[in-house]
Amino acid sequence: MKRYRRWAAALLAAAITAAASLPLSLAAPAPTPFAEFRIDAAGMDFPEHTISVDIYRRDDSGLFQVDNRLEYTCRLNRATRDAGFFIQAQADGVWVTVDYLTDVNNDGVYELLEDTDAPVWDVMDLHGALLTDTVGPALEQGQTYILSPDQLIARSRCAVQDRAADGPCALEAAREGAAQQEFPLCMIKLHRTDPADAVSYEQTYYLQIYDDILLPLDVSPADWYFDAVEFVLSKGYFSGTTEGLFLPAGQLPRAQLAQVLWSMAGRPEAAGAHFSDVSPEDWYYQAVSWCQQERLIAGYTADIFAPADLLSREQMYSILYRYARYTGAPAATGADLSRFADMDQVSSWAVESIQWASANGLLSGDANLLQPQTTVCRAELAVALYYYALNAGLNR
């Protein structure tokens, strides 16, 4: 029962926000938060995210086995590696532990190891060092504790290796393959026993640390578009959503491609567009104005731009080809399209553009199909920009 209550406290604290507190042993909330957890970083966000967690406990032979699976929504505190993590006690007696939620087999389900008799989580002293005790030294009211991002990253990676095949805490799920997880999820717990009622309470924070940019929650290192998404985000050509997502399968409207090209060009000033369906209040107004001015994306008529219309693959490659010629970037042209079974579906006005895209490695998808009339998704544009940068001099 004690182990279940410990997990329940973490689950509920995560579900109602990082500032909430719940008891370690008695399922009742603390009257007020007893500490603040602050983050200072160049990049950070705090999306809510639904995660699945397998709870592992030791069997009679000492091996960790799955005991239960939970799925719930929690607040993720995501920050770049330059971050400072500051815990300030608002009462006497606060101490810190760190658990690591790993995904050693990359199945999208985190692993959390529970063993209150021989804890597998980290207990921190007042200088950030690791202790073997089950209870750490306590902060006094007003005292500030600093967590090191480098130490958290290092310990996260150790946790992954420990739970991989042949590790000291090897998990059955990891026995057939090597662990390759990039960003384990740290579960920071702030503990305090209230002297007034002798009840132990805790505040729980879910923390994920990235290198230079916050990678979207819906993009994994195993995805075929991972490097491309990382590239376009690092360059500022694309942005994610406020929920911490990239939406790789999201469709690509004309206004969004205009915004991407405008961002790639450095967001230059342009004379205002005169389309009846594009107004100065629209987020894409300057981008559409510039793309029209430079003849990269024309309106359907002198009065209609249709910003929400979706782009086909051949339309996207044609627009990128115009941009290549606009920038003067060196690029190969004239590829032979005869190997593609559907080359006859390419519109006559798009043949040169598709040849250029093929010659420079921009095509994605089936190696034997062009799919020129298929609607483009955000991941496909990211991949096209990434390989254009590598092969056609866009990255400058």
Side-chain angles (χ1 to χ4, degrees):
M1 180 61 71
K2 180 178 180 181
R3 293 174 182 174
Y4 169 77
R5 284 172 176 163
R6 175 179 181 272
W7 171 246
L11 186 157
L12 293 175
I16 59 178
T17 70
S21 56
L22 292 170
L24 182 61
S25 57
L26 298 178
T32 58
F34 51 78
E36 290 185 354
F37 190 1
R38 301 174 183 173
I39 300 176
D40 180 19
M44 55 184 167
D45 62 10
F46 313 97
E48 286 191 349
H49 189 55
T50 299
I51 63 174
S52 297
V53 181
D54 279 341
I55 312 300
Y56 283 77
R57 297 190 176 95
R58 292 189 192 273
D59 61 16
D60 293 339
S61 65
L63 297 177
F64 281 100
Q65 303 291 344
V66 177
D67 180 71
N68 191 18
R69 175 173 292 186
L70 297 174
E71 183 173 289
Y72 60 96
T73 300
C74 63
R75 177 83 60 186
L76 299 185
N77 300 279
R78 308 191 327 143
T80 47
R81 189 169 183 160
D82 64 335
F85 303 118
F86 307 96
I87 297 168
Q88 187 168 52
Q90 297 175 323
D92 292 340
V94 178
W95 54 284
V96 182
T97 61
V98 184
D99 266 312
Y100 304 99
L101 277 66
T102 57
D103 182 9
V104 296
N105 62 348
N106 290 304
D107 65 351
V109 178
Y110 287 105
E111 302 101 13
L112 177 66
L113 276 54
E114 287 278 9
D115 187 347
T116 51
D117 297 325
V120 292
W121 53 87
D122 287 340
V123 179
M124 303 290 190
D125 72 6
L126 299 182
H127 304 287
L130 305 178
L131 301 175
T132 57
D133 302 329
T134 57
V135 177
L139 297 170
E140 298 177 357
Q141 182 176 2
Q143 191 171 6
T144 299
Y145 181 92
I146 300 176
L147 276 173
S148 162
D150 289 338
Q151 184 182 52
L152 291 175
I153 290 170
R155 290 295 300 156
S156 294
R157 291 173 177 167
C158 285
V160 173
Q161 295 305 315
D162 287 349
R163 300 171 192 190
D166 301 322
C169 298
L171 305 182
E172 189 68 31
R175 290 188 186 279
E176 296 182 358
Q180 298 178 348
Q181 186 182 4
E182 294 288 330
F183 307 110
L185 186 60
C186 300
M187 189 163 68
I188 314 296
K189 288 179 178 265
L190 313 184
H191 307 263
R192 180 176 184 265
T193 299
D194 192 333
D197 55 15
V199 175
S200 295
Y201 298 93
E202 62 184 34
Q203 293 173 209
T204 304
Y205 301 82
Y206 293 83
L207 179 65
Q208 206 157 28
I209 306 171
Y210 296 82
D211 287 333
D212 300 317
I213 59 171
L214 301 178
L215 292 174
L217 296 169
D218 54 353
V219 176
S220 163
D223 293 328
W224 58 272
Y225 45 76
F226 177 81
D227 289 340
V229 170
E230 187 177 36
F231 169 76
V232 296
L233 290 177
S234 67
K235 288 292 185 181
Y237 300 158
F238 267 77
S239 61
T241 69
T242 54
E243 295 80 22
L245 305 176
F246 183 77
L247 305 178
Q251 295 174 316
L252 188 70
R254 284 161 54 86
Q256 192 170 106
L257 181 53
Q259 184 77 9
V260 168
L261 295 179
W262 183 60
S263 298
M264 288 161 52
R267 299 175 178 255
E269 293 292 330
H274 298 288
F275 295 115
S276 62
D277 55 354
V278 177
S279 75
E281 290 74 36
D282 292 326
W283 57 266
Y284 46 78
Y285 177 73
Q286 280 293 327
V288 168
S289 298
W290 179 78
C291 285
Q292 180 198 29
Q293 172 183 292
E294 304 302 333
R295 300 182 179 180
L296 300 176
I297 308 178
Y300 287 157
T301 68
D303 190 51
I304 300 297
F305 182 78
D309 276 14
L310 302 179
L311 289 162
S312 67
R313 283 165 60 89
E314 67 177 13
Q315 288 172 333
M316 179 189 73
Y317 292 128
S318 294
I319 291 169
L320 293 179
Y321 183 41
R322 281 183 224 130
Y323 184 81
R325 290 186 296 179
Y326 166 79
T327 61
T333 57
D336 181 9
L337 303 182
S338 61
R339 65 185 177 90
F340 297 104
D342 59 350
M343 62 171 294
D344 59 329
Q345 297 178 22
V346 178
S347 301
S348 58
W349 52 264
V351 170
E352 185 178 355
S353 301
I354 298 293
Q355 289 176 324
W356 165 83
S358 177
N360 291 281
L362 275 66
L363 299 179
S364 59
D366 193 314
N368 297 314
L369 294 175
L370 292 168
Q371 300 177 304
Q373 310 301 326
T374 302
T375 302
V376 173
C377 67
R378 286 165 56 89
E380 286 178 300
L381 175 58
V383 169
L385 296 179
Y386 177 65
Y387 284 105
Y388 185 16
L390 292 179
N391 301 325
L394 181 62
N395 186 15
R396 59 178 188 172

